Amino acid sequence: WMPERFAALADRLILNDALEVVWIGDERERERIDAIRAQMTQPSANLAGRLAWSDTLEMIRGSAIVITNDSAPLHAADHLGKKTIALFGPTDPAKYGPQRSPSGILFKGIACSPCEQAQCRYGHRHCLTDITVEDVYRRAKDLLEDSVDHDTPRVLVARLDRIGDVALSFPAVAAIRQKFPHARITWLVRPAARELAERCPDSDEVIEYDYAAGGRHG
C-alpha cells in the first residue's frame, strides 16, 4: 500500500478515534516507517527492529486492531483473536487471508488479480491503489465498534450510465435513506460519475466500475 495512505489512515485513527498508533516490523522497515511518520500530522511510535518476536506478540495481543499487508503479523493477530484488517493486492486472500476474521479482508479483486506476482505485468498495481484510505478507515470503524450487523439493510444503487442520470437518482437515494435510516447505501457507478456520487449526502460508499471495452473491469 502507499506510504501517504498509511500516514493519512493513521492520522484519522488518532484524531477521530483517540487511538495510539504503533508501527512494527523488522530493522529493514524502520527507515520506511519513519518516512511514513514524517507525512503524518500526529505523533506515533516506531518500534520496527526493536522487538523480539515474543514482544511483538505481546504488542499485538494488547492492541485494539491490527492493520497490515504483511502475512506474519496478520496470522499472529488472527491466531490471537484480534480484530485484523488485511490488505491484499496481487496475492490471494482465499489462500493467505485470516481464518478467524475474514470480515477484515480488503481485496478489490480486479480482472488481473490475484496474479501472485511481485511485479505487476501491467505496471499499474490497481489491485492495491484501488484500496482507498476511506475503505480501510470504514472497515476499521466497523470492527472497532462491532457494527457489522447483517440484519441492517444493505442497498446497492447501480447507475452505470452518465452523470445526469446519477444526479437524477439523488432524490431516490434520499427516499431510501428516509425509509431505512440505518441502511448502508452503496453506489455502483462509472469512473466519470464517482466524484458526483461521493457528494450524495445519503451514501456511505462508492464503488467505481469501469466495465467499458478496454476498461479496468472489462
Side-chain angles (χ1 to χ4, degrees):
W1 211 36
M2 290 75 82
E4 64 273 15
R5 295 191 187 179
F6 271 122
L9 173 66
D11 275 338
R12 287 188 70 172
L13 291 169
I14 295 168
L15 287 167
N16 297 349
D17 303 283
L19 293 182
E20 181 180 0
V21 171
V22 178
W23 304 90
I24 60 173
D26 62 28
E27 184 61 43
R28 294 169 298 176
E29 296 169 311
R30 185 167 185 78
E31 186 175 338
R32 185 179 304 171
I33 291 170
D34 278 337
I36 294 172
R37 293 170 67 233
Q39 299 181 59
M40 294 174 59
T41 62
Q42 303 300 307
S44 62
N46 182 1
L47 299 185
R50 296 185 174 182
L51 301 177
W53 181 239
S54 58
D55 299 322
T56 299
L57 291 176
E58 287 306 311
M59 180 66 66
I60 291 172
R61 195 190 304 275
S63 66
I65 191 167
V66 174
I67 302 173
T68 181
N69 58 0
D70 184 54
S71 58
L74 184 166
H75 290 291
D78 189 48
H79 177 73
L80 292 169
K82 303 306 296 185
K83 296 172 181 178
T84 308
I85 295 180
L87 308 183
F88 278 87
T91 50
D92 187 350
K95 286 184 182 179
Y96 307 112
Q99 302 304 304
R100 290 190 177 189
S101 53
S103 61
I105 292 173
L106 274 176
F107 176 64
K108 288 298 184 177
I110 66 172
C112 58
S113 66
C115 67
E116 302 202 8
Q117 299 298 315
Q119 301 300 323
C120 177
R121 63 183 181 272
Y122 298 114
H124 55 56
R125 300 186 71 80
H126 287 310
C127 57
L128 279 173
T129 59
D130 278 6
I131 300 175
T132 67
V133 173
E134 186 66 20
D135 290 334
V136 185
Y137 180 72
R138 284 185 181 277
R139 189 66 58 85
K141 289 286 287 185
D142 283 344
L143 292 175
L144 287 167
E145 297 172 0
D146 290 323
S147 61
V148 179
D149 180 1
H150 296 289
D151 294 327
T152 297
R154 299 169 69 86
V155 181
L156 180 68
V157 181
R159 290 265 43 166
L160 295 172
D161 30 32
R162 300 186 183 278
I163 290 175
D165 297 289
V166 173
L168 289 171
S169 300
F170 275 36
V173 176
I176 293 170
R177 175 63 72 202
Q178 184 175 8
K179 178 70 174 177
F180 303 103
H182 302 297
R184 181 171 180 84
I185 300 176
T186 300
W187 287 84
L188 183 70
V189 297
R190 294 167 72 172
R194 180 181 185 120
E195 185 176 350
L196 176 62
E198 287 175 340
R199 293 175 178 270
C200 176
D202 297 298
S203 64
D204 296 299
E205 181 184 16
V206 177
I207 299 173
E208 182 181 299
Y209 186 39
D210 187 1
Y211 66 93
R216 187 179 305 164
H217 306 111

mmCIF file with all atom_site columns, all heavy atoms in Angstrom, residues 24-34 46 48 70:
data_model
loop_
_atom_site.group_PDB
_atom_site.id
_atom_site.type_symbol
_atom_site.label_atom_id
_atom_site.label_alt_id
_atom_site.label_comp_id
_atom_site.label_asym_id
_atom_site.label_entity_id
_atom_site.label_seq_id
_atom_site.pdbx_PDB_ins_code
_atom_site.Cartn_x
_atom_site.Cartn_y
_atom_site.Cartn_z
_atom_site.occupancy
_atom_site.B_iso_or_equiv
_atom_site.pdbx_formal_charge
_atom_site.auth_seq_id
_atom_site.auth_comp_id
_atom_site.auth_asym_id
_atom_site.auth_atom_id
_atom_site.pdbx_PDB_model_num
ATOM 1   N N   . ILE A 1 24 ? 5.101  -1.598 13.733 1.00 0.00 ? 24 ILE A N   1
ATOM 2   C CA  . ILE A 1 24 ? 6.033  -2.691 14.000 1.00 0.00 ? 24 ILE A CA  1
ATOM 3   C C   . ILE A 1 24 ? 6.561  -3.244 12.680 1.00 0.00 ? 24 ILE A C   1
ATOM 4   O O   . ILE A 1 24 ? 5.956  -3.058 11.626 1.00 0.00 ? 24 ILE A O   1
ATOM 5   C CB  . ILE A 1 24 ? 5.384  -3.815 14.828 1.00 0.00 ? 24 ILE A CB  1
ATOM 6   C CG1 . ILE A 1 24 ? 4.188  -4.418 14.095 1.00 0.00 ? 24 ILE A CG1 1
ATOM 7   C CG2 . ILE A 1 24 ? 4.980  -3.304 16.202 1.00 0.00 ? 24 ILE A CG2 1
ATOM 8   C CD1 . ILE A 1 24 ? 3.600  -5.640 14.781 1.00 0.00 ? 24 ILE A CD1 1
ATOM 9   N N   . GLY A 1 25 ? 7.684  -3.925 12.761 1.00 0.00 ? 25 GLY A N   1
ATOM 10  C CA  . GLY A 1 25 ? 8.327  -4.508 11.584 1.00 0.00 ? 25 GLY A CA  1
ATOM 11  C C   . GLY A 1 25 ? 9.754  -4.871 11.955 1.00 0.00 ? 25 GLY A C   1
ATOM 12  O O   . GLY A 1 25 ? 10.146 -4.775 13.114 1.00 0.00 ? 25 GLY A O   1
ATOM 13  N N   . ASP A 1 26 ? 10.539 -5.263 10.946 1.00 0.00 ? 26 ASP A N   1
ATOM 14  C CA  . ASP A 1 26 ? 11.932 -5.568 11.249 1.00 0.00 ? 26 ASP A CA  1
ATOM 15  C C   . ASP A 1 26 ? 12.808 -4.332 10.999 1.00 0.00 ? 26 ASP A C   1
ATOM 16  O O   . ASP A 1 26 ? 12.321 -3.280 10.574 1.00 0.00 ? 26 ASP A O   1
ATOM 17  C CB  . ASP A 1 26 ? 12.424 -6.786 10.471 1.00 0.00 ? 26 ASP A CB  1
ATOM 18  C CG  . ASP A 1 26 ? 12.378 -6.592 8.964  1.00 0.00 ? 26 ASP A CG  1
ATOM 19  O OD1 . ASP A 1 26 ? 12.496 -5.438 8.493  1.00 0.00 ? 26 ASP A OD1 1
ATOM 20  O OD2 . ASP A 1 26 ? 12.242 -7.595 8.244  1.00 0.00 ? 26 ASP A OD2 1
ATOM 21  N N   . GLU A 1 27 ? 14.086 -4.471 11.251 1.00 0.00 ? 27 GLU A N   1
ATOM 22  C CA  . GLU A 1 27 ? 15.003 -3.332 11.166 1.00 0.00 ? 27 GLU A CA  1
ATOM 23  C C   . GLU A 1 27 ? 15.032 -2.721 9.769  1.00 0.00 ? 27 GLU A C   1
ATOM 24  O O   . GLU A 1 27 ? 15.169 -1.514 9.618  1.00 0.00 ? 27 GLU A O   1
ATOM 25  C CB  . GLU A 1 27 ? 16.419 -3.786 11.562 1.00 0.00 ? 27 GLU A CB  1
ATOM 26  C CG  . GLU A 1 27 ? 17.436 -2.668 11.602 1.00 0.00 ? 27 GLU A CG  1
ATOM 27  C CD  . GLU A 1 27 ? 17.082 -1.583 12.618 1.00 0.00 ? 27 GLU A CD  1
ATOM 28  O OE1 . GLU A 1 27 ? 16.658 -1.936 13.738 1.00 0.00 ? 27 GLU A OE1 1
ATOM 29  O OE2 . GLU A 1 27 ? 17.231 -0.395 12.284 1.00 0.00 ? 27 GLU A OE2 1
ATOM 30  N N   . ARG A 1 28 ? 14.849 -3.553 8.736  1.00 0.00 ? 28 ARG A N   1
ATOM 31  C CA  . ARG A 1 28 ? 14.883 -3.046 7.367  1.00 0.00 ? 28 ARG A CA  1
ATOM 32  C C   . ARG A 1 28 ? 13.734 -2.093 7.069  1.00 0.00 ? 28 ARG A C   1
ATOM 33  O O   . ARG A 1 28 ? 13.811 -1.283 6.151  1.00 0.00 ? 28 ARG A O   1
ATOM 34  C CB  . ARG A 1 28 ? 14.830 -4.215 6.373  1.00 0.00 ? 28 ARG A CB  1
ATOM 35  C CG  . ARG A 1 28 ? 16.047 -5.132 6.406  1.00 0.00 ? 28 ARG A CG  1
ATOM 36  C CD  . ARG A 1 28 ? 15.801 -6.386 5.610  1.00 0.00 ? 28 ARG A CD  1
ATOM 37  N NE  . ARG A 1 28 ? 14.696 -7.165 6.170  1.00 0.00 ? 28 ARG A NE  1
ATOM 38  C CZ  . ARG A 1 28 ? 14.200 -8.283 5.630  1.00 0.00 ? 28 ARG A CZ  1
ATOM 39  N NH1 . ARG A 1 28 ? 14.717 -8.745 4.507  1.00 0.00 ? 28 ARG A NH1 1
ATOM 40  N NH2 . ARG A 1 28 ? 13.208 -8.923 6.218  1.00 0.00 ? 28 ARG A NH2 1
ATOM 41  N N   . GLU A 1 29 ? 12.663 -2.182 7.852  1.00 0.00 ? 29 GLU A N   1
ATOM 42  C CA  . GLU A 1 29 ? 11.483 -1.350 7.611  1.00 0.00 ? 29 GLU A CA  1
ATOM 43  C C   . GLU A 1 29 ? 11.473 -0.072 8.442  1.00 0.00 ? 29 GLU A C   1
ATOM 44  O O   . GLU A 1 29 ? 10.585 0.764  8.281  1.00 0.00 ? 29 GLU A O   1
ATOM 45  C CB  . GLU A 1 29 ? 10.221 -2.166 7.891  1.00 0.00 ? 29 GLU A CB  1
ATOM 46  C CG  . GLU A 1 29 ? 10.063 -3.344 6.954  1.00 0.00 ? 29 GLU A CG  1
ATOM 47  C CD  . GLU A 1 29 ? 8.970  -4.303 7.381  1.00 0.00 ? 29 GLU A CD  1
ATOM 48  O OE1 . GLU A 1 29 ? 8.952  -4.691 8.566  1.00 0.00 ? 29 GLU A OE1 1
ATOM 49  O OE2 . GLU A 1 29 ? 8.160  -4.665 6.523  1.00 0.00 ? 29 GLU A OE2 1
ATOM 50  N N   . ARG A 1 30 ? 12.438 0.077  9.310  1.00 0.00 ? 30 ARG A N   1
ATOM 51  C CA  . ARG A 1 30 ? 12.436 1.223  10.216 1.00 0.00 ? 30 ARG A CA  1
ATOM 52  C C   . ARG A 1 30 ? 12.488 2.547  9.456  1.00 0.00 ? 30 ARG A C   1
ATOM 53  O O   . ARG A 1 30 ? 11.719 3.474  9.737  1.00 0.00 ? 30 ARG A O   1
ATOM 54  C CB  . ARG A 1 30 ? 13.606 1.118  11.194 1.00 0.00 ? 30 ARG A CB  1
ATOM 55  C CG  . ARG A 1 30 ? 13.596 2.205  12.242 1.00 0.00 ? 30 ARG A CG  1
ATOM 56  C CD  . ARG A 1 30 ? 14.545 1.932  13.385 1.00 0.00 ? 30 ARG A CD  1
ATOM 57  N NE  . ARG A 1 30 ? 14.382 2.953  14.387 1.00 0.00 ? 30 ARG A NE  1
ATOM 58  C CZ  . ARG A 1 30 ? 13.396 3.003  15.271 1.00 0.00 ? 30 ARG A CZ  1
ATOM 59  N NH1 . ARG A 1 30 ? 12.495 2.048  15.298 1.00 0.00 ? 30 ARG A NH1 1
ATOM 60  N NH2 . ARG A 1 30 ? 13.306 3.975  16.146 1.00 0.00 ? 30 ARG A NH2 1
ATOM 61  N N   . GLU A 1 31 ? 13.385 2.633  8.482  1.00 0.00 ? 31 GLU A N   1
ATOM 62  C CA  . GLU A 1 31 ? 13.518 3.879  7.724  1.00 0.00 ? 31 GLU A CA  1
ATOM 63  C C   . GLU A 1 31 ? 12.256 4.164  6.917  1.00 0.00 ? 31 GLU A C   1
ATOM 64  O O   . GLU A 1 31 ? 11.818 5.310  6.815  1.00 0.00 ? 31 GLU A O   1
ATOM 65  C CB  . GLU A 1 31 ? 14.737 3.775  6.803  1.00 0.00 ? 31 GLU A CB  1
ATOM 66  C CG  . GLU A 1 31 ? 15.063 5.071  6.070  1.00 0.00 ? 31 GLU A CG  1
ATOM 67  C CD  . GLU A 1 31 ? 16.343 4.959  5.272  1.00 0.00 ? 31 GLU A CD  1
ATOM 68  O OE1 . GLU A 1 31 ? 17.180 4.090  5.588  1.00 0.00 ? 31 GLU A OE1 1
ATOM 69  O OE2 . GLU A 1 31 ? 16.501 5.748  4.321  1.00 0.00 ? 31 GLU A OE2 1
ATOM 70  N N   . ARG A 1 32 ? 11.672 3.130  6.369  1.00 0.00 ? 32 ARG A N   1
ATOM 71  C CA  . ARG A 1 32 ? 10.433 3.309  5.589  1.00 0.00 ? 32 ARG A CA  1
ATOM 72  C C   . ARG A 1 32 ? 9.296  3.816  6.475  1.00 0.00 ? 32 ARG A C   1
ATOM 73  O O   . ARG A 1 32 ? 8.527  4.685  6.082  1.00 0.00 ? 32 ARG A O   1
ATOM 74  C CB  . ARG A 1 32 ? 10.055 1.977  4.946  1.00 0.00 ? 32 ARG A CB  1
ATOM 75  C CG  . ARG A 1 32 ? 8.857  2.037  4.023  1.00 0.00 ? 32 ARG A CG  1
ATOM 76  C CD  . ARG A 1 32 ? 8.578  0.675  3.422  1.00 0.00 ? 32 ARG A CD  1
ATOM 77  N NE  . ARG A 1 32 ? 9.749  0.145  2.740  1.00 0.00 ? 32 ARG A NE  1
ATOM 78  C CZ  . ARG A 1 32 ? 9.827  -1.100 2.282  1.00 0.00 ? 32 ARG A CZ  1
ATOM 79  N NH1 . ARG A 1 32 ? 8.818  -1.942 2.465  1.00 0.00 ? 32 ARG A NH1 1
ATOM 80  N NH2 . ARG A 1 32 ? 10.916 -1.511 1.668  1.00 0.00 ? 32 ARG A NH2 1
ATOM 81  N N   . ILE A 1 33 ? 9.213  3.273  7.681  1.00 0.00 ? 33 ILE A N   1
ATOM 82  C CA  . ILE A 1 33 ? 8.172  3.721  8.613  1.00 0.00 ? 33 ILE A CA  1
ATOM 83  C C   . ILE A 1 33 ? 8.412  5.169  9.028  1.00 0.00 ? 33 ILE A C   1
ATOM 84  O O   . ILE A 1 33 ? 7.468  5.962  9.145  1.00 0.00 ? 33 ILE A O   1
ATOM 85  C CB  . ILE A 1 33 ? 8.110  2.788  9.829  1.00 0.00 ? 33 ILE A CB  1
ATOM 86  C CG1 . ILE A 1 33 ? 7.581  1.419  9.404  1.00 0.00 ? 33 ILE A CG1 1
ATOM 87  C CG2 . ILE A 1 33 ? 7.244  3.378  10.932 1.00 0.00 ? 33 ILE A CG2 1
ATOM 88  C CD1 . ILE A 1 33 ? 7.689  0.344  10.470 1.00 0.00 ? 33 ILE A CD1 1
ATOM 89  N N   . ASP A 1 34 ? 9.671  5.548  9.257  1.00 0.00 ? 34 ASP A N   1
ATOM 90  C CA  . ASP A 1 34 ? 9.960  6.943  9.596  1.00 0.00 ? 34 ASP A CA  1
ATOM 91  C C   . ASP A 1 34 ? 9.526  7.878  8.473  1.00 0.00 ? 34 ASP A C   1
ATOM 92  O O   . ASP A 1 34 ? 9.065  9.006  8.728  1.00 0.00 ? 34 ASP A O   1
ATOM 93  C CB  . ASP A 1 34 ? 11.456 7.118  9.883  1.00 0.00 ? 34 ASP A CB  1
ATOM 94  C CG  . ASP A 1 34 ? 11.826 6.701  11.306 1.00 0.00 ? 34 ASP A CG  1
ATOM 95  O OD1 . ASP A 1 34 ? 10.923 6.705  12.169 1.00 0.00 ? 34 ASP A OD1 1
ATOM 96  O OD2 . ASP A 1 34 ? 13.006 6.372  11.540 1.00 0.00 ? 34 ASP A OD2 1
ATOM 97  N N   . ASN A 1 46 ? 7.512  4.278  16.453 1.00 0.00 ? 46 ASN A N   1
ATOM 98  C CA  . ASN A 1 46 ? 8.127  3.340  15.522 1.00 0.00 ? 46 ASN A CA  1
ATOM 99  C C   . ASN A 1 46 ? 8.964  2.336  16.317 1.00 0.00 ? 46 ASN A C   1
ATOM 100 O O   . ASN A 1 46 ? 10.045 2.656  16.795 1.00 0.00 ? 46 ASN A O   1
ATOM 101 C CB  . ASN A 1 46 ? 9.007  4.088  14.514 1.00 0.00 ? 46 ASN A CB  1
ATOM 102 C CG  . ASN A 1 46 ? 9.628  3.161  13.482 1.00 0.00 ? 46 ASN A CG  1
ATOM 103 O OD1 . ASN A 1 46 ? 9.391  1.953  13.490 1.00 0.00 ? 46 ASN A OD1 1
ATOM 104 N ND2 . ASN A 1 46 ? 10.407 3.730  12.577 1.00 0.00 ? 46 ASN A ND2 1
ATOM 105 N N   . ALA A 1 48 ? 9.852  -0.666 14.943 1.00 0.00 ? 48 ALA A N   1
ATOM 106 C CA  . ALA A 1 48 ? 10.429 -1.610 13.982 1.00 0.00 ? 48 ALA A CA  1
ATOM 107 C C   . ALA A 1 48 ? 11.877 -1.918 14.338 1.00 0.00 ? 48 ALA A C   1
ATOM 108 O O   . ALA A 1 48 ? 12.675 -1.015 14.598 1.00 0.00 ? 48 ALA A O   1
ATOM 109 C CB  . ALA A 1 48 ? 10.352 -1.031 12.570 1.00 0.00 ? 48 ALA A CB  1
ATOM 110 N N   . ASP A 1 70 ? 1.238  -7.520 5.653  1.00 0.00 ? 70 ASP A N   1
ATOM 111 C CA  . ASP A 1 70 ? 2.326  -8.476 5.831  1.00 0.00 ? 70 ASP A CA  1
ATOM 112 C C   . ASP A 1 70 ? 1.774  -9.721 6.521  1.00 0.00 ? 70 ASP A C   1
ATOM 113 O O   . ASP A 1 70 ? 1.011  -9.614 7.488  1.00 0.00 ? 70 ASP A O   1
ATOM 114 C CB  . ASP A 1 70 ? 3.450  -7.853 6.654  1.00 0.00 ? 70 ASP A CB  1
ATOM 115 C CG  . ASP A 1 70 ? 4.638  -8.784 6.772  1.00 0.00 ? 70 ASP A CG  1
ATOM 116 O OD1 . ASP A 1 70 ? 5.135  -9.235 5.727  1.00 0.00 ? 70 ASP A OD1 1
ATOM 117 O OD2 . ASP A 1 70 ? 5.061  -9.050 7.900  1.00 0.00 ? 70 ASP A OD2 1
#
